[in-house]
Amino acid sequence: MAKLLPIKIYPCPVLRQKNRNLKTAELQKNEIKQLILNMAETMKQKDGAGLAAPQVGQNLRIAAINTEDGVLVLINPKILIKSWRQEIMEEGCLSLPEIFGLVKRSLKVNVTALDSDGKRIRFKATGMFARVIQHELDHLDGVLFIDKAREITQGGKILEKAR
Ligand code: NI
């Protein structure tokens, strides 16, 4: 059974720590399978667009993305190509409740990752899907959207400094 995991809230140090790649064999371990199920469940229950493993206290390169077709699990994901064309949009994060900011991101990205079975996948993402992927992959590098955002607000008030 999948269970709800507690979300690590900024400035929890786990959000800034190094995250390691998984070995393909590790994906067969019950502990990792359960973590992936729990991450998907937590993202859905918290209504997140995505969730990265450090947000649930695990310094592993795993991200879950909410898509129209269900939860997309990305293991050891990498962005191969980022479009030159960018777009500025407001972002938030489950680890930074009530904080929002405008972040410039590439409109399109080409991504490679392993799926939860360890199979290599490659795909293109555009628009909001591309944005969420970039946000979640930043988490895997210990980067939060407030590091890149401007006009950061908390509870509707503009913050002078967010870090
Ligand atoms: Ni986030």
Side-chain angles (χ1 to χ4, degrees), residues 16-90:
R16 295 301 198 181
Q17 283 160 11
K18 207 168 154 58
N19 298 292
R20 71 165 178 88
N21 278 316
L22 283 104
K23 297 186 186 87
T24 315
E26 285 182 282
L27 298 174
Q28 304 309 315
K29 284 189 180 175
N30 282 332
E31 191 190 331
I32 297 296
K33 287 184 180 180
Q34 193 63 51
L35 170 64
I36 291 169
L37 287 174
N38 292 345
M39 282 177 62
E41 180 68 18
T42 303
M43 177 178 68
K44 284 190 277 185
Q45 286 203 34
K46 295 286 181 186
D47 203 22
L51 187 70
Q55 291 184 275
V56 293
Q58 299 293 325
N59 285 121
L60 298 169
R61 300 188 79 86
I62 305 174
I65 314 285
N66 216 341
T67 77
E68 289 170 358
D69 304 321
V71 178
L72 175 66
V73 174
L74 302 175
I75 311 292
N76 308 341
K78 270 190 200 134
I79 292 176
L80 300 171
I81 305 170
K82 272 186 185 187
S83 68
W84 168 83
R85 208 174 277 268
Q86 295 182 312
E87 187 175 50
I88 296 170
M89 276 187 71
E90 189 173 73

Side-chain angles (χ1 to χ4, degrees), residues 55 92-95 135-136 139:
Q55 291 184 275
C93 179
L94 292 176
S95 294
H135 176 117
E136 299 312 325
H139 273 298

Side-chain angles (χ1 to χ4, degrees), residues 112-124:
T112 186
L114 300 178
D115 68 12
S116 49
D117 297 321
K119 205 181 77 185
R120 172 70 51 191
I121 54 170
R122 281 190 179 81
F123 59 94
K124 290 176 188 174

